[in-house]
Amino acid sequence: MYIKTLTIQGFKSYRDQTQIEPFSPRHNVVVGRNGSGKSNFFAAIRFVLSDAYTSMSREERQALLHEGLEIIFDNSDNRFPTGRDEVILRRTIGSRKMSTVSIRRVQGRITALTNAKDHERLALLKEVAGTKVYEQRRAESLRIMSETDAKRSKIGELLEYIDSRLTELEEEKEELKEFQEKDKERRCLEYALYQRELEEVGEALEEIEEERRGELHSTNMRREQFNDREKQAQNLERSISKSKPV
């Protein structure tokens, strides 16, 4: 539902009958020079839809004396269940009586509209003008901003945790570096001890080998001496055998 046609006559700067149409069901922009009647255009809409002019004095009503203002709403979506495609609101004002609203082709909810309070009519006007969509988008944007703030808070907490973990890891890194240095020293000492033991074992093996070679040489010498003496004994026996009388 949206405003389809606005008819103004004798209202403030609109002396002659002025019919403003068509209106877009989505967005409308009012553009004009200063004093061209932009503010009075919106004042005419408020005049029809609100109670802002119900408590005027006789002089104020005289200043606004006019034949009437009329707004035609597109009701093709049947928001007002009248069975018609248009809803017409018309307000007139006289010099001695309060402003009155006449409604054509409207029943049910239109009666409730005339008796509604200003904030209820304002809500209806926002809905008709399409500003309710922006309020819904604003509420959605606020919700997204709230969720974003919550996520930002969680990200901040996560960053703090990461910073603390980085500090811990840096300390562990220093400890690991110190451990690696100590481990390197340990391995160097173990290698030095192993090398020393290896050298000592090598020296002991050389001494044993030297002793073995010495013993082997002594054994060979004694064997040679034994062989020589055995030969001498054999020669002596042969000499004795030859010297015996036959």
Side-chain angles (χ1 to χ4, degrees), residues 52-83:
Y53 297 88
T54 56
S55 59
M56 294 185 300
S57 64
R58 184 176 183 277
E59 290 76 13
E60 291 172 334
R61 289 197 300 273
Q62 185 68 32
L64 288 175
L65 185 62
H66 64 282
E67 295 184 4
L69 298 177
E70 184 177 86
I71 298 178
I72 300 177
F73 290 94
D74 183 283
N75 192 42
S76 57
D77 58 356
N78 201 32
R79 181 166 297 180
F80 289 109
T82 63

Side-chain angles (χ1 to χ4, degrees), residues 46-164:
R46 290 196 301 271
F47 180 81
V48 176
L49 298 180
S50 72
D51 291 332
Y53 297 88
T54 56
S55 59
M56 294 185 300
S57 64
R58 184 176 183 277
E59 290 76 13
E60 291 172 334
R61 289 197 300 273
Q62 185 68 32
L64 288 175
L65 185 62
H66 64 282
E67 295 184 4
L69 298 177
E70 184 177 86
I71 298 178
I72 300 177
F73 290 94
D74 183 283
N75 192 42
S76 57
D77 58 356
N78 201 32
R79 181 166 297 180
F80 289 109
T82 63
R84 299 178 181 273
D85 293 336
E86 291 183 352
V87 172
I88 302 176
L89 294 182
R90 181 179 177 84
R91 182 184 287 271
T92 60
I93 186 171
S95 60
R96 295 184 179 180
K97 59 181 179 179
M98 301 297 290
S99 61
T100 59
V101 177
S102 61
I103 305 173
R104 302 179 186 176
R105 305 175 188 174
V106 182
Q107 297 176 354
R109 291 183 61 185
I110 299 301
T111 302
L113 174 63
T114 59
N115 297 325
K117 297 181 180 179
D118 288 345
H119 69 276
E120 295 174 343
R121 292 180 181 175
L122 179 60
L124 177 60
L125 179 60
K126 288 181 178 180
E127 184 176 359
V128 171
T131 58
K132 189 174 182 180
V133 176
Y134 295 101
E135 291 184 353
Q136 293 175 348
R137 291 180 180 177
R138 178 176 178 273
E140 180 67 15
S141 298
L142 291 175
R143 183 186 65 80
I144 294 174
M145 290 175 62
S146 178
E147 292 178 355
T148 302
D149 291 338
K151 291 180 180 179
R152 185 183 296 112
S153 177
K154 291 182 180 179
I155 291 173
E157 294 176 358
L158 181 60
L159 289 176
E160 291 180 359
Y161 171 75
I162 292 175
D163 289 338
S164 63

Side-chain angles (χ1 to χ4, degrees), residues 178-195:
E178 183 179 357
F179 169 78
Q180 290 176 342
E181 292 177 354
K182 297 296 183 182
D183 185 66
K184 183 178 180 180
E185 292 178 1
R186 178 187 61 80
R187 286 186 282 109
C188 290
L189 291 174
E190 288 180 351
Y191 177 78
L193 291 174
Y194 172 77
Q195 186 66 24

